[in-house]
Amino acid sequence: MTPVRALAVEPPAAPTITLADVRAAAARIRGAVLRTPTLHCDALSRATGARVHLKLDNLQATGAFKERGAANRIALLTARERAAGVIAMSAGNHAQAVARHASLAGIAATIVMPRFTPATKVTRTEGWGARVVLHGESLAEAAAHAHELALRDGLTFVHPYDDPAVIAGQGTCALEMLEDFPDLDVLVIPVGGGGLLTGCAAAALELRPGITVVGVEVEGYPAMAQRLAGQPVSVGGPTVAEGIAVRDVGEVPFAWLKAHGIEVVLAPERSVEQAIALLAEGAKLVAEGAGAAGVAALLAHPERFAGKSVGIPICGGNIDARALSNVLLRQLLRDGRILRLHFDIPDRPGVLADIAGRISTLGGNVIEVNHQQLFGAPTVQSTELYLMVEVRDGRQGNAIIAALQAADYVVRRG
Protein backbone atom coordinates (compact mmCIF):
# COMPACT_ATOMS: atom_id res chain seq x y z
CA MET A 1 0.00 0.00 0.00
CA THR A 2 1.37 3.43 -0.94
CA PRO A 3 1.97 5.56 2.18
CA VAL A 4 -0.28 8.57 2.62
CA ARG A 5 1.73 11.79 2.88
CA ALA A 6 0.83 15.13 4.34
CA LEU A 7 2.94 18.25 4.77
CA ALA A 8 4.08 19.27 8.25
CA VAL A 9 2.79 22.63 9.42
CA GLU A 10 3.76 24.90 12.27
CA PRO A 11 1.62 24.53 15.39
CA PRO A 12 -0.79 27.23 16.48
CA ALA A 13 -0.39 28.78 19.91
CA ALA A 14 -0.69 26.05 22.55
CA PRO A 15 -4.13 26.02 24.20
CA THR A 16 -4.47 26.08 27.97
CA ILE A 17 -5.44 22.68 29.37
CA THR A 18 -4.80 22.38 33.09
CA LEU A 19 -5.20 20.07 36.04
CA ALA A 20 -8.12 22.25 37.12
CA ASP A 21 -9.86 21.53 33.77
CA VAL A 22 -9.35 17.80 34.26
CA ARG A 23 -10.61 17.90 37.85
CA ALA A 24 -13.69 19.82 36.74
CA ALA A 25 -14.28 17.19 34.05
CA ALA A 26 -13.96 14.43 36.67
CA ALA A 27 -16.68 16.07 38.75
CA ARG A 28 -18.99 16.40 35.70
CA ILE A 29 -18.70 12.81 34.54
CA ARG A 30 -18.82 11.19 37.98
CA GLY A 31 -21.54 8.57 37.96
CA ALA A 32 -21.90 8.61 34.17
CA VAL A 33 -18.50 7.03 33.45
CA LEU A 34 -17.08 4.06 35.31
CA ARG A 35 -14.14 4.78 37.60
CA THR A 36 -12.08 1.85 36.41
CA PRO A 37 -9.47 0.13 38.61
CA THR A 38 -5.71 0.43 38.25
CA LEU A 39 -4.02 -2.86 39.10
CA HIS A 40 -0.41 -4.01 39.46
CA CYS A 41 0.30 -6.75 36.90
CA ASP A 42 2.86 -9.40 37.89
CA ALA A 43 2.86 -11.09 34.46
CA LEU A 44 3.77 -7.92 32.59
CA SER A 45 6.24 -6.83 35.25
CA ARG A 46 8.12 -10.11 34.84
CA ALA A 47 8.00 -9.88 31.06
CA THR A 48 9.27 -6.28 30.84
CA GLY A 49 11.45 -5.66 33.90
CA ALA A 50 9.29 -2.69 34.92
CA ARG A 51 6.72 -2.44 37.72
CA VAL A 52 3.63 -2.34 35.55
CA HIS A 53 0.25 -0.94 36.61
CA LEU A 54 -2.69 -1.24 34.22
CA LYS A 55 -5.64 1.17 34.08
CA LEU A 56 -8.55 -0.98 32.90
CA ASP A 57 -10.58 1.33 30.68
CA ASN A 58 -11.48 -1.67 28.54
CA LEU A 59 -14.10 -2.21 31.27
CA GLN A 60 -16.09 0.91 30.33
CA ALA A 61 -19.66 0.29 29.18
CA THR A 62 -18.66 0.80 25.53
CA GLY A 63 -15.29 -0.93 26.03
CA ALA A 64 -13.06 2.13 25.70
CA PHE A 65 -11.82 5.36 27.31
CA LYS A 66 -13.64 7.55 24.76
CA GLU A 67 -16.61 7.81 27.12
CA ARG A 68 -14.64 10.20 29.34
CA GLY A 69 -14.25 12.94 26.73
CA ALA A 70 -17.68 12.46 25.20
CA ALA A 71 -19.40 12.65 28.59
CA ASN A 72 -17.56 15.85 29.54
CA ARG A 73 -18.25 17.57 26.21
CA ILE A 74 -21.95 16.67 26.30
CA ALA A 75 -22.25 17.85 29.90
CA LEU A 76 -21.04 21.30 28.78
CA LEU A 77 -23.69 21.79 26.07
CA THR A 78 -25.92 24.82 26.37
CA ALA A 79 -29.71 24.44 26.53
CA ARG A 80 -29.97 25.44 22.86
CA GLU A 81 -27.27 22.95 21.83
CA ARG A 82 -28.96 20.17 23.80
CA ALA A 83 -32.28 20.86 22.10
CA ALA A 84 -30.69 20.81 18.62
CA GLY A 85 -28.63 17.65 19.18
CA VAL A 86 -25.07 16.52 18.52
CA ILE A 87 -23.23 14.92 15.65
CA ALA A 88 -19.95 13.03 15.44
CA MET A 89 -17.87 11.17 12.90
CA SER A 90 -16.33 7.86 13.87
CA ALA A 91 -16.05 4.27 12.74
CA GLY A 92 -15.12 3.06 16.21
CA ASN A 93 -15.14 3.77 19.92
CA HIS A 94 -15.93 7.50 19.76
CA ALA A 95 -19.17 6.73 17.91
CA GLN A 96 -20.46 4.53 20.70
CA ALA A 97 -19.27 6.93 23.40
CA VAL A 98 -21.13 9.91 21.92
CA ALA A 99 -24.21 7.80 21.25
CA ARG A 100 -24.31 6.47 24.81
CA HIS A 101 -23.81 9.76 26.64
CA ALA A 102 -26.14 11.69 24.38
CA SER A 103 -28.78 9.04 25.07
CA LEU A 104 -28.18 9.23 28.83
CA ALA A 105 -28.65 13.00 28.66
CA GLY A 106 -31.79 12.76 26.51
CA ILE A 107 -30.06 14.41 23.54
CA ALA A 108 -30.49 13.35 19.91
CA ALA A 109 -27.26 12.08 18.35
CA THR A 110 -26.29 11.53 14.73
CA ILE A 111 -23.17 9.52 13.93
CA VAL A 112 -21.66 9.59 10.44
CA MET A 113 -19.70 6.45 9.55
CA PRO A 114 -17.95 5.47 6.32
CA ARG A 115 -19.84 3.00 4.14
CA PHE A 116 -17.23 0.28 4.78
CA THR A 117 -17.87 0.29 8.56
CA PRO A 118 -18.49 -3.29 9.80
CA ALA A 119 -22.15 -4.03 10.50
CA THR A 120 -21.43 -4.91 14.14
CA LYS A 121 -20.12 -1.39 14.84
CA VAL A 122 -23.13 0.18 13.14
CA THR A 123 -25.48 -2.04 15.17
CA ARG A 124 -23.75 -1.26 18.46
CA THR A 125 -23.87 2.47 17.81
CA GLU A 126 -27.56 2.31 16.90
CA GLY A 127 -28.08 0.23 20.02
CA TRP A 128 -27.06 3.23 22.12
CA GLY A 129 -29.85 5.24 20.52
CA ALA A 130 -28.02 7.17 17.80
CA ARG A 131 -29.09 7.71 14.22
CA VAL A 132 -26.33 6.34 11.99
CA VAL A 133 -25.62 7.87 8.58
CA LEU A 134 -23.34 5.85 6.29
CA HIS A 135 -21.49 8.15 3.91
CA GLY A 136 -18.21 8.17 2.00
CA GLU A 137 -15.49 5.67 1.27
CA SER A 138 -13.08 7.05 3.87
CA LEU A 139 -13.03 8.65 7.32
CA ALA A 140 -12.15 11.98 5.69
CA GLU A 141 -15.25 11.85 3.47
CA ALA A 142 -17.43 10.86 6.43
CA ALA A 143 -16.00 13.74 8.49
CA ALA A 144 -16.68 16.26 5.73
CA HIS A 145 -20.28 15.08 5.49
CA ALA A 146 -20.70 15.27 9.27
CA HIS A 147 -19.55 18.90 9.23
CA GLU A 148 -22.00 19.65 6.40
CA LEU A 149 -24.88 18.14 8.39
CA ALA A 150 -23.82 20.02 11.53
CA LEU A 151 -23.96 23.32 9.63
CA ARG A 152 -27.20 22.52 7.85
CA ASP A 153 -29.10 21.29 10.91
CA GLY A 154 -27.49 23.40 13.64
CA LEU A 155 -25.95 20.38 15.39
CA THR A 156 -22.96 20.54 17.74
CA PHE A 157 -20.01 18.60 16.33
CA VAL A 158 -18.29 16.49 19.00
CA HIS A 159 -14.73 15.96 17.79
CA PRO A 160 -12.98 12.77 18.96
CA TYR A 161 -9.75 14.53 20.00
CA ASP A 162 -9.44 18.12 18.75
CA ASP A 163 -11.60 19.74 21.44
CA PRO A 164 -10.33 21.03 24.83
CA ALA A 165 -13.41 19.69 26.66
CA VAL A 166 -12.93 16.23 25.19
CA ILE A 167 -9.21 16.37 26.03
CA ALA A 168 -9.94 17.36 29.64
CA GLY A 169 -12.35 14.45 29.92
CA GLN A 170 -9.74 12.01 28.64
CA GLY A 171 -7.29 13.37 31.21
CA THR A 172 -9.41 11.93 34.02
CA CYS A 173 -7.81 8.59 33.13
CA ALA A 174 -4.43 9.80 34.44
CA LEU A 175 -6.05 11.53 37.40
CA GLU A 176 -7.49 8.21 38.56
CA MET A 177 -4.25 6.31 37.92
CA LEU A 178 -2.30 8.72 40.12
CA GLU A 179 -4.95 8.60 42.83
CA ASP A 180 -4.52 4.81 42.95
CA PHE A 181 -0.72 4.79 42.55
CA PRO A 182 0.74 8.24 43.45
CA ASP A 183 4.35 7.10 43.04
CA LEU A 184 4.27 6.19 39.34
CA ASP A 185 7.49 7.21 37.56
CA VAL A 186 6.17 7.05 34.00
CA LEU A 187 2.86 7.11 32.14
CA VAL A 188 2.85 5.41 28.73
CA ILE A 189 -0.14 6.57 26.70
CA PRO A 190 -1.30 5.40 23.24
CA VAL A 191 -1.60 8.16 20.60
CA GLY A 192 -4.08 8.40 17.76
CA GLY A 193 -5.28 11.95 17.36
CA GLY A 194 -3.55 12.91 20.61
CA GLY A 195 -6.46 13.74 22.92
CA LEU A 196 -5.78 11.04 25.51
CA LEU A 197 -2.05 11.78 25.68
CA THR A 198 -2.62 15.53 25.99
CA GLY A 199 -5.27 15.24 28.70
CA CYS A 200 -3.25 12.71 30.69
CA ALA A 201 -0.05 14.75 30.39
CA ALA A 202 -1.81 17.97 31.42
CA ALA A 203 -3.12 16.31 34.57
CA ALA A 204 -0.02 14.29 35.46
CA LEU A 205 2.68 16.92 34.95
CA GLU A 206 0.87 19.39 37.21
CA LEU A 207 -0.28 16.86 39.79
CA ARG A 208 3.11 15.14 40.07
CA PRO A 209 6.01 17.30 38.88
CA GLY A 210 8.91 15.14 37.72
CA ILE A 211 6.78 12.34 36.30
CA THR A 212 7.57 11.34 32.72
CA VAL A 213 4.76 11.06 30.18
CA VAL A 214 5.48 9.21 26.93
CA GLY A 215 3.20 8.74 23.95
CA VAL A 216 3.13 5.59 21.79
CA GLU A 217 2.25 5.20 18.12
CA VAL A 218 2.31 2.09 16.01
CA GLU A 219 5.24 2.07 13.56
CA GLY A 220 3.14 2.35 10.41
CA TYR A 221 1.28 5.43 11.67
CA PRO A 222 3.82 7.75 13.34
CA ALA A 223 1.93 10.95 12.46
CA MET A 224 2.28 12.70 15.82
CA ALA A 225 5.97 11.77 16.17
CA GLN A 226 6.62 13.09 12.67
CA ARG A 227 4.72 16.30 13.29
CA LEU A 228 6.56 16.91 16.57
CA ALA A 229 9.88 16.36 14.78
CA GLY A 230 8.92 18.82 12.03
CA GLN A 231 8.84 16.09 9.40
CA PRO A 232 6.30 15.48 6.62
CA VAL A 233 3.67 12.96 7.66
CA SER A 234 3.99 9.61 5.90
CA VAL A 235 1.70 6.83 7.11
CA GLY A 236 -0.06 3.80 5.72
CA GLY A 237 -0.55 0.05 5.64
CA PRO A 238 -2.61 -2.49 7.55
CA THR A 239 -2.34 -2.63 11.33
CA VAL A 240 -4.06 -4.43 14.19
CA ALA A 241 -3.97 -1.08 16.03
CA GLU A 242 -6.53 0.55 13.73
CA GLY A 243 -7.84 2.69 16.58
CA ILE A 244 -4.64 4.76 16.49
CA ALA A 245 -4.00 4.49 12.73
CA VAL A 246 -4.34 8.23 12.18
CA ARG A 247 -2.94 10.51 9.50
CA ASP A 248 -4.39 13.85 10.65
CA VAL A 249 -3.63 14.38 14.34
CA GLY A 250 -5.46 17.01 16.35
CA GLU A 251 -4.13 20.55 16.09
CA VAL A 252 -4.99 21.30 19.73
CA PRO A 253 -3.12 18.20 21.02
CA PHE A 254 -0.22 18.84 18.65
CA ALA A 255 0.24 22.41 19.86
CA TRP A 256 0.05 21.39 23.52
CA LEU A 257 2.42 18.44 23.18
CA LYS A 258 4.90 20.52 21.16
CA ALA A 259 4.86 23.30 23.76
CA HIS A 260 5.47 20.86 26.63
CA GLY A 261 8.13 18.73 24.95
CA ILE A 262 6.26 15.42 25.17
CA GLU A 263 8.02 12.56 23.37
CA VAL A 264 6.27 9.94 21.27
CA VAL A 265 7.94 6.54 20.73
CA LEU A 266 7.05 3.91 18.14
CA ALA A 267 6.01 0.30 18.65
CA PRO A 268 6.45 -2.26 15.84
CA GLU A 269 3.38 -4.14 14.65
CA ARG A 270 4.82 -7.38 16.02
CA SER A 271 5.14 -5.83 19.51
CA VAL A 272 1.48 -4.82 19.42
CA GLU A 273 0.45 -8.39 18.59
CA GLN A 274 2.74 -9.68 21.34
CA ALA A 275 1.16 -7.22 23.79
CA ILE A 276 -2.38 -8.34 22.92
CA ALA A 277 -1.37 -11.98 23.46
CA LEU A 278 0.50 -11.27 26.70
CA LEU A 279 -2.44 -9.33 28.11
CA ALA A 280 -4.85 -12.14 27.22
CA GLU A 281 -2.70 -14.99 28.47
CA GLY A 282 -0.72 -13.37 31.28
CA ALA A 283 -3.05 -10.66 32.62
CA LYS A 284 -6.36 -12.30 31.57
CA LEU A 285 -7.40 -9.07 29.83
CA VAL A 286 -8.85 -8.53 26.37
CA ALA A 287 -7.38 -5.49 24.61
CA GLU A 288 -7.71 -4.18 21.08
CA GLY A 289 -4.53 -3.23 19.24
CA ALA A 290 -4.74 0.46 20.16
CA GLY A 291 -5.56 -0.48 23.75
CA ALA A 292 -2.43 -2.65 24.00
CA ALA A 293 -0.05 -0.10 22.44
CA GLY A 294 1.29 1.10 25.80
CA VAL A 295 2.32 -2.45 26.71
CA ALA A 296 3.83 -2.83 23.22
CA ALA A 297 6.10 0.15 23.93
CA LEU A 298 7.49 -1.61 27.02
CA LEU A 299 8.11 -4.78 25.02
CA ALA A 300 9.80 -2.84 22.20
CA HIS A 301 11.90 -0.57 24.48
CA PRO A 302 12.48 -2.54 27.71
CA GLU A 303 15.71 -0.73 28.60
CA ARG A 304 13.89 2.57 28.75
CA PHE A 305 11.42 1.44 31.43
CA ALA A 306 13.37 -1.22 33.36
CA GLY A 307 13.03 -0.86 37.12
CA LYS A 308 10.51 1.99 36.88
CA SER A 309 6.95 2.15 38.14
CA VAL A 310 4.90 2.49 34.96
CA GLY A 311 1.22 3.30 34.50
CA ILE A 312 -0.47 2.21 31.26
CA PRO A 313 -4.11 2.63 30.26
CA ILE A 314 -5.62 -0.41 28.56
CA CYS A 315 -7.73 2.10 26.73
CA GLY A 316 -9.90 -0.21 24.64
CA GLY A 317 -11.05 -3.82 24.46
CA ASN A 318 -13.11 -3.82 21.28
CA ILE A 319 -11.18 -6.33 19.21
CA ASP A 320 -12.85 -8.55 16.64
CA ALA A 321 -12.99 -12.17 17.86
CA ARG A 322 -11.38 -13.49 14.68
CA ALA A 323 -8.57 -10.95 14.87
CA LEU A 324 -7.93 -11.89 18.50
CA SER A 325 -7.85 -15.58 17.57
CA ASN A 326 -5.36 -14.94 14.76
CA VAL A 327 -3.12 -12.84 17.01
CA LEU A 328 -3.03 -15.55 19.68
CA LEU A 329 -2.24 -18.31 17.15
CA ARG A 330 0.51 -16.22 15.54
CA GLN A 331 2.06 -15.64 18.95
CA LEU A 332 1.96 -19.36 19.76
CA LEU A 333 3.85 -20.01 16.53
CA ARG A 334 6.43 -17.31 17.35
CA ASP A 335 6.89 -18.69 20.86
CA GLY A 336 7.48 -22.18 19.46
CA ARG A 337 4.42 -23.58 21.22
CA ILE A 338 2.87 -24.62 17.91
CA LEU A 339 5.00 -26.37 15.28
CA ARG A 340 4.20 -26.53 11.58
CA LEU A 341 6.03 -29.54 10.18
CA HIS A 342 6.40 -30.58 6.55
CA PHE A 343 7.42 -34.11 5.47
CA ASP A 344 7.95 -35.99 2.21
CA ILE A 345 7.16 -39.55 3.27
CA PRO A 346 6.96 -42.93 1.50
CA ASP A 347 3.46 -43.84 0.31
CA ARG A 348 2.96 -46.99 2.37
CA PRO A 349 0.71 -48.02 5.25
CA GLY A 350 1.76 -47.18 8.80
CA VAL A 351 4.10 -44.25 8.14
CA LEU A 352 1.66 -41.56 9.29
CA ALA A 353 0.84 -43.62 12.38
CA ASP A 354 4.55 -44.05 13.16
CA ILE A 355 5.19 -40.28 12.94
CA ALA A 356 2.17 -39.50 15.11
CA GLY A 357 3.28 -42.10 17.63
CA ARG A 358 6.78 -40.67 17.93
CA ILE A 359 5.35 -37.19 18.44
CA SER A 360 2.93 -38.50 21.08
CA THR A 361 5.67 -40.37 22.93
CA LEU A 362 7.53 -37.08 23.44
CA GLY A 363 4.40 -35.28 24.67
CA GLY A 364 3.40 -33.44 21.50
CA ASN A 365 -0.25 -33.12 20.48
CA VAL A 366 -1.12 -33.27 16.77
CA ILE A 367 -3.92 -30.74 16.21
CA GLU A 368 -4.06 -30.62 12.41
CA VAL A 369 -3.13 -33.03 9.58
CA ASN A 370 -2.92 -32.36 5.84
CA HIS A 371 -2.05 -35.54 3.88
CA GLN A 372 -1.60 -34.79 0.16
CA GLN A 373 -1.08 -37.92 -1.92
CA LEU A 374 -2.10 -36.99 -5.45
CA PHE A 375 -0.89 -33.55 -6.51
CA GLY A 376 1.79 -32.13 -4.23
CA ALA A 377 4.17 -35.06 -3.85
CA PRO A 378 7.34 -35.19 -5.99
CA THR A 379 6.61 -38.78 -7.18
CA VAL A 380 3.67 -41.18 -7.16
CA GLN A 381 5.56 -43.25 -4.58
CA SER A 382 5.62 -40.48 -1.98
CA THR A 383 3.21 -38.29 -0.06
CA GLU A 384 3.38 -34.76 1.27
CA LEU A 385 2.45 -34.49 4.92
CA TYR A 386 1.83 -31.29 6.89
CA LEU A 387 1.29 -31.45 10.64
CA MET A 388 0.47 -28.79 13.21
CA VAL A 389 1.69 -29.87 16.63
CA GLU A 390 1.05 -28.32 20.02
CA VAL A 391 4.01 -28.40 22.45
CA ARG A 392 4.88 -26.89 25.84
CA ASP A 393 7.75 -24.76 24.60
CA GLY A 394 10.54 -24.47 22.05
CA ARG A 395 12.73 -27.00 23.84
CA GLN A 396 10.11 -29.73 23.58
CA GLY A 397 9.51 -28.83 19.94
CA ASN A 398 13.21 -29.15 19.12
CA ALA A 399 13.33 -32.52 20.86
CA ILE A 400 10.44 -33.80 18.74
CA ILE A 401 12.08 -32.66 15.50
CA ALA A 402 15.39 -34.24 16.54
CA ALA A 403 13.67 -37.56 17.31
CA LEU A 404 11.92 -37.59 13.92
CA GLN A 405 15.18 -36.84 12.12
CA ALA A 406 16.92 -39.61 14.10
CA ALA A 407 14.28 -41.97 12.69
CA ASP A 408 15.36 -40.91 9.17
CA TYR A 409 12.38 -38.68 8.46
CA VAL A 410 13.12 -35.55 6.45
CA VAL A 411 11.20 -32.83 8.28
CA ARG A 412 11.13 -29.10 7.74
CA ARG A 413 9.56 -26.41 9.91
CA GLY A 414 6.91 -24.53 7.96
Side-chain angles (χ1 to χ4, degrees):
M1 178 175 176
T2 304
V4 179
R5 295 181 179 273
L7 293 178
V9 299
E10 286 302 309
T16 302
I17 299 165
T18 67
L19 176 60
D21 298 324
V22 177
R23 281 182 165 149
R28 283 187 206 101
I29 69 177
R30 189 172 293 121
V33 173
L34 183 65
R35 191 199 185 287
T36 55
T38 306
L39 304 175
H40 174 74
C41 183
D42 284 332
L44 290 180
S45 297
R46 290 195 303 271
T48 64
R51 299 190 304 280
V52 180
H53 306 82
L54 303 178
K55 175 68 169 167
L56 306 187
D57 255 29
N58 57 328
L59 300 181
Q60 294 291 350
T62 61
F65 78 98
K66 290 286 189 178
E67 291 200 43
R68 298 175 179 275
N72 189 48
R73 181 67 186 87
I74 287 169
L76 288 167
L77 294 173
T78 66
R80 186 196 65 77
E81 289 171 334
R82 294 169 71 90
V86 297
I87 189 167
M89 182 287 300
S90 172
N93 295 328
H94 180 65
Q96 295 181 64
V98 172
R100 177 173 189 260
H101 288 282
S103 176
L104 290 174
I107 297 168
T110 300
I111 309 295
V112 182
M113 301 175 123
R115 290 194 187 98
F116 66 79
T117 303
T120 53
K121 293 186 177 181
V122 175
T123 302
R124 286 175 190 164
T125 303
E126 289 176 333
W128 291 112
R131 177 176 75 100
V132 173
V133 175
L134 297 177
H135 182 91
E137 304 305 314
S138 67
L139 288 169
E141 289 178 8
H145 187 62
H147 281 290
E148 289 170 5
L149 293 179
L151 232 105
R152 187 192 74 187
D153 299 335
L155 307 176
T156 297
F157 187 87
V158 181
H159 199 284
Y161 46 80
D162 215 1
D163 181 317
V166 170
I167 292 169
Q170 317 300 33
T172 61
C173 184
L175 197 64
E176 293 173 8
M177 268 197 284
L178 289 168
E179 286 172 357
D180 291 344
F181 289 92
D183 296 329
L184 292 174
D185 300 315
V186 188
L187 298 184
V188 184
I189 312 292
V191 183
L196 179 63
L197 174 59
T198 302
C200 286
L205 294 178
E206 196 173 339
L207 184 63
R208 192 174 182 279
I211 195 170
T212 300
V213 182
V214 178
V216 187
E217 291 178 308
V218 67
E219 232 173 33
Y221 288 83
M224 185 64 82
Q226 290 170 338
R227 287 285 304 274
L228 291 173
Q231 301 168 351
V233 172
S234 177
V235 300
T239 175
V240 72
E242 72 281 351
I244 55 173
V246 169
R247 183 196 70 177
D248 300 317
V249 302
E251 294 303 320
V252 173
F254 170 51
W256 196 97
L257 297 171
K258 183 79 171 176
H260 291 81
I262 302 298
E263 184 184 2
V264 175
V265 300
L266 304 183
E269 188 73 14
R270 180 166 176 164
S271 294
V272 178
E273 292 188 12
Q274 185 183 357
I276 293 170
L278 185 56
L279 283 164
E281 191 171 16
K284 314 307 177 191
L285 295 171
V286 173
E288 61 191 88
V295 174
L298 267 66
L299 297 172
H301 309 281
E303 71 293 337
R304 180 173 186 138
F305 304 102
K308 295 181 179 178
S309 183
V310 182
I312 302 174
I314 305 302
C315 53
N318 294 320
I319 186 170
D320 176 77
R322 187 167 59 86
L324 177 60
S325 174
N326 288 343
V327 166
L328 294 176
L329 286 172
R330 283 160 64 91
Q331 194 59 41
L332 288 172
L333 284 165
R334 288 167 180 158
D335 289 346
R337 289 183 287 165
I338 288 182
L339 303 177
R340 290 185 299 177
L341 304 180
H342 174 222
F343 303 77
D344 287 322
I345 60 174
D347 182 20
R348 64 171 184 262
V351 175
L352 177 56
D354 181 63
I355 290 172
R358 291 176 187 274
I359 292 171
S360 175
T361 298
L362 289 169
N365 180 35
V366 177
I367 57 176
E368 187 174 310
V369 178
N370 186 330
H371 189 258
Q372 178 53 258
Q373 194 171 23
L374 295 178
F375 304 112
T379 78
V380 293
Q381 299 300 319
S382 66
T383 296
E384 275 196 325
L385 175 65
Y386 294 89
L387 299 180
M388 190 171 288
V389 181
E390 184 181 26
V391 295
R392 288 189 305 273
D393 52 32
R395 180 178 296 181
Q396 186 186 29
N398 290 337
I400 287 172
I401 292 172
L404 291 167
Q405 290 172 336
D408 293 329
Y409 289 112
V410 177
V411 54
R412 302 190 300 276
R413 295 183 82 141

